[in-house]
Amino acid sequence: MAPVDAPWEEKMMTFLTRRTALLAAATCAATLGLTAIAEAQTSIKIGYAISRTGPNTGGAAVTTIPNYELWVKEVNAAGGIKLGDKRVPIEVVQYDDRSNAEEAVRALERLINQDKVDFILPPWGTGLNLAVGPTLNREGYPHLAATAVTDRAPELAKRWPNSFWLLGTSADAAKSLVELLNKLRDEKKIGDTVAMVSIADGFGIDLSSAARPALTNAKFKLAYDKSYPIGTQDLAPIVNEIKALNPDVFIAFSYPPDTLALTEQSRIAGLNPKVFYTGVGTAFPLYKQKFGKNTEGVMGIGGWSGDSPAIKDYLARHKAAANGAEPDRWASAVTYASLQMLQQAIERVGKIDRAAVIMDLQTGTFDTVIGKVKLENNMPTRYWWVGQWQDGEFYGIAPAKNEGARAAIVPKPAWVAP
Amino acid sequence: MSARIAGFGATALAALALLALVPRLGNAYYLALAISLLQYTVLATAWGMFSGPTRYVSLATTAFFGVGAYTVAVLGEILPWPLVLLTAAALGAIVAGIVGLSTLRLSGVYFVIFTFGLTELIRQLVVWFEVNKSRVLGRYVFVNITQADIYWQLLVLTAAVFLLGWLIARSRLGFALRVIGEDETVAKHCGINTTFAKVALFTISATVMTLVGAIMAPRWTYIEPSIAFNSMISFQVLIMALLGGAHRLWGPVLGAVPLTLLFELLSARFPNTFTIILGCIFLLIVYMLPRGVAGLFEKLSTTAGGKPTQRVAA
């Protein structure tokens, strides 16, 4: 303010010059700001920390890393992500979280505060996605968890509105499986004896504790229900015991190593129930490589619409980009779809505005390889829960109401000599 | 002497006050790094407190750290936070007491193997319980604790550990332990209750480790046995303490700080060759600094002003 005792003209002058100066300063700042923004937008920085070493490596190497790399390559080949009326390429910053929760959290904090990335892609697996949840929420980054299955997903989505749980809940997985069995029994294709084994780890426990009451309520006879510790080498005793019980349905909520071991052992022992279902790993390309013709009729968790042109095209592109390696038939396509969703959300917003991108992810409809996706309460409305190997492809068969669901082949054909 | 102690105390307090301001920097990355530094400082110092004077190499750090983390996973949402920490400390002390009484008669490599097995044993017990009794594996920790809170708690614990270590070193217990470290048989003949001394110190050191696990747990939201009982922690702490020099109270810090920074630098700059570079660095450390950084300092100060010995320069 000008001095009170100054003459009127002087006051006016001071006011004017001040206002002019202010205006000039504001214009300058705006111009500078604009240039700064224009400069910052020569690329979009996308960061991720992924397990390149440690126990999560296998899962990350099959499901997550190839899709991140494929997506970045494709987007950049097309000129980048469209911001307003121009395209800006993606610049990647990536770290190894060494399959360690503490490391994953710290790597994300480094990405956010040091590398100042615009967006972050999530790590692989349920545990690590939960570990990084609070950080991404606090910093306001969208969190598209495409490889986490947790029963608390709906609650987490409420707690962290920036998080999206694209792979669903294990309770849902068990429910879909039991519904399928129920239908098969109504069609007189199977009886009601079920043998169930589960791995004594997060996945096995969650699914078996959801499946147990569902099976009992549906009046199935649970003839065998045991768990085995993680890292069990010899599964022959379990398979032989189950074979003696001659069940109609064999369910294994297993992890990749034991999924392979149980299948191999069942083939050797001749355990060939009408429904043969194994857990994580059944949908892996490795499973097909290892068992070839013997995969026919094997059911497992996951699946995709193998007949859809979008999926066929995705499979071809993935193979071309990853030296012939195929994606798994469960979380891979979902992971790729999550990246398409992120890209579409950014392009619709038209600038790096994470809050707006989160809002768009919550409310928008997305065109992806797994079809049209519209989230409700930050979760998709449809999942593939049971898949079956049919003629060398792992097709989704349940929930049956899903578009592209194939009919189940029951009973499972006999094992053949490899 | 007492003036020197007072001066040292004042410096320590000033340093503490300064360190307490780190969260004010407002950079979450530096805060995370500081948390990591404090975590390993406390763990390595607690490790050195027991293993330094007694020369028992323990790989049980993970076991106690995990017990602390799991206590938070189970009780975090039920009890108020100070009670959770108290319970964790009590549990750690009880486990350490039992383990100490039953194993500290072992010596040498047998003790190393046992402590390594202990981690696996506790982890399998937790898994067994969760699988067969509670039927959940993987628990969620939703407590109202910010990163700054974690940092401050660790800072207080760091101060407490140093104070405790300093007091013990000046006490009869500390003296007894040094005698045991030199020659246990002689110590027995001198009338020292060696079992009591060892178990007491093992318990103190383990309680501190358990507290670190409990304080760190809210950082991860989700805890399962493989996260809480990650045996890498045991090895990292061991290496840090050895690099720093476990025979001095302040030795392990000299290892914990540079190694934590080195891990950070390597994982930031060489994410894909991290393990290879790390292995080479460990080899260098073992060959060039057999008595740790603390040993190097001592050597330098004894050859006052002289050149470092050839071994160090090599």
Side-chain angles (χ1 to χ4, degrees):
Chain A
M1 275 293 135
V4 191
D5 54 348
W8 178 85
E9 292 90 343
E10 211 177 295
K11 271 192 204 169
M12 192 58 206
M13 266 315 286
T14 326
F15 176 66
L16 274 179
T17 23
R18 283 218 180 150
R19 205 170 65 167
T20 322
L22 211 69
L23 200 71
T27 320
C28 263
T31 326
L32 279 174
L34 279 178
T35 356
I37 290 169
E39 264 170 17
Q41 284 183 0
T42 50
S43 72
I44 292 186
K45 253 191 178 183
I46 291 195
Y48 55 89
I50 198 87
S51 305
R52 290 195 182 264
T53 51
N56 290 355
T57 318
V62 172
T63 307
T64 303
I65 298 172
N67 284 302
Y68 287 0
E69 288 175 352
L70 171 67
W71 177 69
V72 171
K73 201 175 123 190
E74 286 181 346
V75 169
N76 281 347
I81 291 181
K82 203 155 178 270
L83 287 185
D85 50 6
K86 63 178 189 134
R87 290 189 174 273
V88 288
I90 297 174
E91 186 190 331
V92 172
V93 186
Q94 52 137 335
Y95 297 116
D96 178 8
D97 62 35
R98 306 211 290 279
S99 308
N100 174 326
E102 174 60 25
E103 207 56 48
V105 172
R106 205 133 44 83
L108 252 60
E109 273 160 357
R110 194 189 303 131
L111 285 171
I112 295 167
N113 294 291
Q114 302 301 104
D115 303 317
K116 307 211 183 305
V117 296
D118 297 311
F119 291 97
I120 284 180
L121 306 181
W124 180 88
T126 309
L128 291 186
N129 268 293
L130 288 165
V132 300
T135 308
L136 291 173
N137 176 252
R138 193 179 60 235
E139 306 284 345
Y141 280 74
H143 179 188
L144 287 150
T147 50
V149 179
T150 161
D151 278 338
R152 284 174 80 166
E155 184 199 326
L156 292 168
K158 266 201 204 94
R159 187 181 281 269
W160 304 324
N162 65 313
S163 69
F164 304 90
W165 303 86
L166 307 177
L167 218 49
T169 67
S170 39
D172 223 21
K175 208 181 86 204
S176 283
L177 175 61
V178 175
E179 266 169 19
L180 172 71
L181 295 178
N182 226 343
K183 195 174 126 240
L184 291 172
R185 187 176 54 181
D186 289 346
E187 291 166 2
K188 305 263 182 272
K189 284 184 177 159
I190 58 170
D192 56 7
T193 347
V194 177
M196 177 169 87
V197 292
S198 50
I199 187 159
D201 198 29
F203 171 80
I205 296 173
D206 269 9
L207 273 117
S208 61
S209 17
R212 201 169 289 120
L215 285 166
T216 332
N217 286 344
K219 305 263 182 306
F220 277 99
K221 212 170 90 215
L222 205 51
Y224 189 92
D225 175 10
K226 282 190 185 159
S227 73
Y228 54 88
I230 197 162
T232 302
Q233 298 294 327
D234 185 10
L235 292 160
I238 293 179
V239 170
N240 291 337
E241 248 181 282
I242 293 177
K243 180 161 191 275
L245 295 169
N246 194 23
D248 296 284
V249 177
F250 171 71
I251 300 173
F253 295 120
S254 49
Y255 272 160
D258 23 300
T259 296
L260 296 175
L262 281 167
T263 310
E264 178 68 6
Q265 202 56 48
S266 301
R267 185 189 66 76
I268 292 168
L271 168 64
N272 194 49
K274 296 189 179 79
V275 170
F276 186 90
Y277 170 100
T278 43
V280 185
T282 318
F284 282 11
L286 175 70
Y287 194 86
K288 184 171 76 172
Q289 280 163 28
K290 188 159 160 65
F291 297 112
K293 279 201 172 64
N294 269 323
T295 54
E296 186 66 16
V298 171
M299 294 186 194
I301 193 159
W304 68 10
S305 326
D307 295 319
S308 109
I311 284 287
K312 281 187 176 151
D313 178 48
Y314 163 70
L315 176 61
R317 281 183 292 144
H318 188 288
K319 275 170 82 168
N323 290 329
E326 291 189 7
D328 77 81
R329 267 68 165 165
W330 184 24
S332 266
V334 179
T335 303
Y336 188 81
S338 77
L339 301 169
Q340 292 182 303
M341 290 165 68
L342 180 65
Q343 181 181 359
Q344 287 165 26
I346 298 172
E347 289 181 349
R348 278 201 287 248
V349 170
K351 56 179 191 261
I352 309 292
D353 179 345
R354 287 184 285 272
V357 169
I358 291 171
M359 180 84 89
D360 192 78
L361 285 166
Q362 286 166 343
T363 53
T365 305
F366 300 89
D367 202 9
T368 72
V369 287
I370 54 170
K372 284 238 181 308
V373 177
K374 165 106 175 65
L375 302 182
E376 274 175 26
N377 301 321
N378 287 18
M379 293 176 71
T381 46
R382 118 204 140 96
Y383 308 90
W384 283 114
W385 282 127
V386 187
Q388 185 177 39
W389 284 104
Q390 299 181 357
D391 206 12
E393 183 52 70
F394 194 67
Y395 293 98
I397 56 171
K401 64 178 193 313
N402 279 1
E403 197 186 323
R406 282 217 174 181
I409 299 178
V410 174
K412 172 191 173 305
W415 300 109
V416 293
Chain B
M1 188 67 190
S2 67
R4 207 182 125 195
I5 293 173
F8 187 72
T11 323
L13 275 180
L16 207 62
L18 214 62
L19 282 175
L21 293 177
V22 167
R24 293 287 162 85
L25 289 177
N27 182 323
Y29 170 70
Y30 288 125
L31 184 57
L33 190 58
I35 287 175
S36 198
L37 282 170
L38 282 182
Q39 178 200 350
Y40 282 112
T41 300
V42 181
L43 286 175
T45 310
W47 187 90
M49 257 165 76
F50 168 73
S51 298
T54 59
R55 301 187 182 181
Y56 275 79
V57 173
S58 160
L59 286 176
T61 312
T62 302
F64 297 112
F65 184 87
V67 166
Y70 241 91
T71 312
V72 174
V74 177
L75 298 176
E77 289 177 17
I78 308 170
L79 293 179
W81 186 243
L83 272 183
V84 176
L85 287 185
L86 265 176
T87 317
L91 271 176
I94 292 169
V95 173
I98 296 170
V99 170
L101 278 176
S102 54
T103 63
L104 283 173
R105 290 164 214 272
L106 295 173
S107 61
V109 74
Y110 303 104
F111 182 77
V112 182
I113 292 169
F114 177 84
T115 51
F116 184 60
L118 179 69
T119 306
E120 200 54 25
L121 175 72
I122 294 183
R123 173 178 159 171
Q124 292 300 341
L125 277 176
V126 171
V127 170
W128 179 86
F129 183 85
E130 299 281 55
V131 170
N132 295 299
K133 301 295 165 196
S134 55
R135 295 210 185 272
V136 283
L137 198 73
R139 289 172 175 268
Y140 298 78
V141 190
F142 289 123
V143 287
N144 235 342
I145 301 231
T146 62
Q147 304 298 308
D149 293 340
I150 293 178
Y151 175 81
W152 282 319
Q153 291 177 61
L154 283 174
L155 193 61
V156 170
L157 191 61
T158 314
V161 166
F162 277 100
L163 190 66
L164 200 65
W166 182 71
L167 288 175
I168 288 174
R170 294 164 62 88
S171 69
R172 288 167 60 88
L173 180 61
F175 183 66
L177 284 161
R178 280 198 297 279
V179 179
I180 294 171
E182 292 298 331
D183 193 324
E184 196 163 342
T185 324
V186 171
K188 269 188 198 149
H189 282 284
C190 294
I192 293 172
N193 185 345
T194 56
T195 310
F196 170 78
K198 286 190 289 184
V199 172
L201 207 66
F202 187 66
T203 309
I204 293 172
S205 140
T207 309
V208 172
M209 292 170 177
T210 315
L211 275 174
V212 177
I215 293 173
M216 289 297 288
R219 244 173 101 70
W220 311 317
T221 320
Y222 176 77
I223 288 185
E224 56 178 29
S226 61
I227 293 178
F229 296 94
N230 178 351
S231 55
M232 273 308 285
I233 295 174
S234 290
F235 290 106
Q236 287 188 359
V237 166
L238 173 77
I239 290 160
M240 286 169 177
L242 289 184
L243 168 66
H247 60 293
R248 292 275 175 210
L249 177 62
W250 44 268
V253 190
L254 300 180
V257 173
L259 276 186
T260 309
L261 293 176
L262 178 73
F263 290 164
E264 186 57 32
L265 183 78
L266 287 184
S267 43
R269 299 263 171 258
F270 308 98
N272 299 328
T273 44
F274 175 83
T275 14
I276 302 173
I277 300 178
L278 199 64
C280 297
I281 289 173
F282 286 164
L283 282 177
L284 281 178
I285 290 172
V286 172
Y287 280 116
M288 298 174 77
L289 293 173
R291 273 177 66 77
V293 179
L296 179 66
F297 279 175
E298 283 161 6
K299 213 174 224 170
L300 286 179
S301 60
T302 47
T303 56
K307 286 183 292 183
T309 57
Q310 210 170 8
R311 178 112 183 247
V312 174

